[in-house]
Amino acid sequence: MRVLLVEDDDDLAARIAAHLKTENFVVDRAANGEDALHAGTTETFDVAVLDLGLPKIDGVTVLKGWRAQAANLPVLVLTARDGWPDKVASFKAGADDFLTKPFKVEELVLRLRALVRRASGHAGAQIACGPLIFDAQLGTFERDGLPLKLTALEWRVLSCLMLRKEIVIDRRELMERVYDGDAEVDSNSLEVIVARLRRKIGADHIETVRGRGYRLTAGAEAL
């Protein structure tokens, strides 16, 4: 899950980003409204965390700009402003959720996962595909009722595929959601991760669609 973190406080942004990364989020940060507006309309994110009191362009204006340019990513407003007018302005501009500072980062993670899950078309927390069950709220996987042990990169790939099961995900899009922007990535690294996942969940559950990307399917076991 790739998140755009828009926060001008360096220390707070670093703490949030560090925790989100431990929860397998890929984090891109924008420190002002101008950069946030550009990033949200030119790059692909699963969700955004948006402060309101930003340098250059305020958060509500950024949000309006995203929506005006058809950027439909889910947006959680995270701000110290707790007045009713700020909440009204945020939701009218297109916010999906609102959380005030101070906050517990664990709650932020739960809210972000819920936003991503619902944006992918899943109302319930548990998503099934053949023998696989993904609890999108807890971030856990099971295969045939047993916990599935995954590395961080394997988790990122499988969660992306699971949230959009039976749909082909473009290879480039998958890479953007799996790797941090500053990471050095080998050209065949995604293939290596997919190969490891096939050994863990069954080769017939991940299809390679030549020239496009990958698709998670229920496989022959479901037939």
Side-chain angles (χ1 to χ4, degrees):
M1 302 179 190
R2 188 180 182 202
V3 58
L4 175 59
L5 174 60
V6 186
E7 172 60 60
D8 62 320
D9 184 316
D10 291 337
D11 290 339
L12 178 59
R15 292 198 300 272
I16 293 174
H19 190 87
L20 290 179
K21 288 177 181 179
T22 67
E23 297 290 341
N24 294 311
F25 284 87
V26 175
V27 182
D28 289 48
R29 184 209 172 188
N32 60 70
E34 188 175 273
D35 290 345
L37 181 59
H38 177 76
T41 54
T42 59
E43 299 184 51
T44 302
F45 297 94
D46 294 298
V47 67
V49 177
L50 177 66
D51 189 14
L52 294 183
L54 298 169
K56 298 186 178 180
I57 304 176
D58 69 272
V60 169
T61 302
V62 169
L63 185 49
K64 288 179 179 179
W66 285 345
R67 298 313 190 210
Q69 297 188 53
N72 60 358
L73 74 167
V75 176
L76 181 148
V77 171
L78 180 64
T79 180
R81 302 177 184 177
D82 59 357
W84 177 244
D86 293 306
K87 293 182 180 180
V88 171
S90 297
F91 283 114
K92 282 187 174 181
D96 299 277
D97 201 354
F98 194 101
L99 184 61
T100 56
K101 304 173 184 175
F103 63 99
K104 288 189 177 296
V105 71
E106 294 83 1
E107 180 181 358
L108 175 63
V109 169
L110 290 174
R111 287 173 179 260
L112 292 179
R113 285 179 173 162
L115 288 175
V116 172
R117 185 190 76 240
R118 290 196 294 267
S120 300
H122 302 287
Q126 290 196 338
I127 304 167
C129 185
L132 296 173
I133 295 179
F134 175 44
D135 191 315
Q137 203 64 18
L138 299 177
T140 57
F141 281 94
E142 290 183 359
R143 187 185 191 283
D144 294 324
L146 298 176
L148 193 60
K149 293 183 179 180
L150 302 170
T151 68
L153 293 180
E154 290 168 355
W155 189 97
R156 291 176 182 178
V157 171
L158 190 54
S159 64
C160 288
L161 293 171
M162 196 75 171
L163 286 168
R164 294 164 65 182
K165 60 180 182 175
E166 306 294 348
I167 297 174
V168 178
I169 301 183
D170 180 78
R171 185 182 186 281
R172 181 177 177 181
E173 181 183 343
L174 196 54
M175 293 278 285
E176 290 177 348
R177 282 170 160 77
V178 170
Y179 293 102
D180 293 306
D182 56 354
E184 294 186 7
V185 182
D186 294 333
S187 59
N188 67 338
S189 59
L190 183 58
E191 285 73 19
V192 172
I193 296 171
V194 169
R196 294 204 305 258
L197 283 172
R198 282 174 171 150
R199 289 194 293 269
K200 291 183 177 183
I201 69 174
D204 58 336
H205 293 301
I206 302 179
E207 296 180 353
T208 299
V209 181
R210 192 173 299 277
R212 296 179 62 189
Y214 298 96
R215 173 171 52 210
L216 184 72
T217 72
E221 296 176 14
L223 300 178

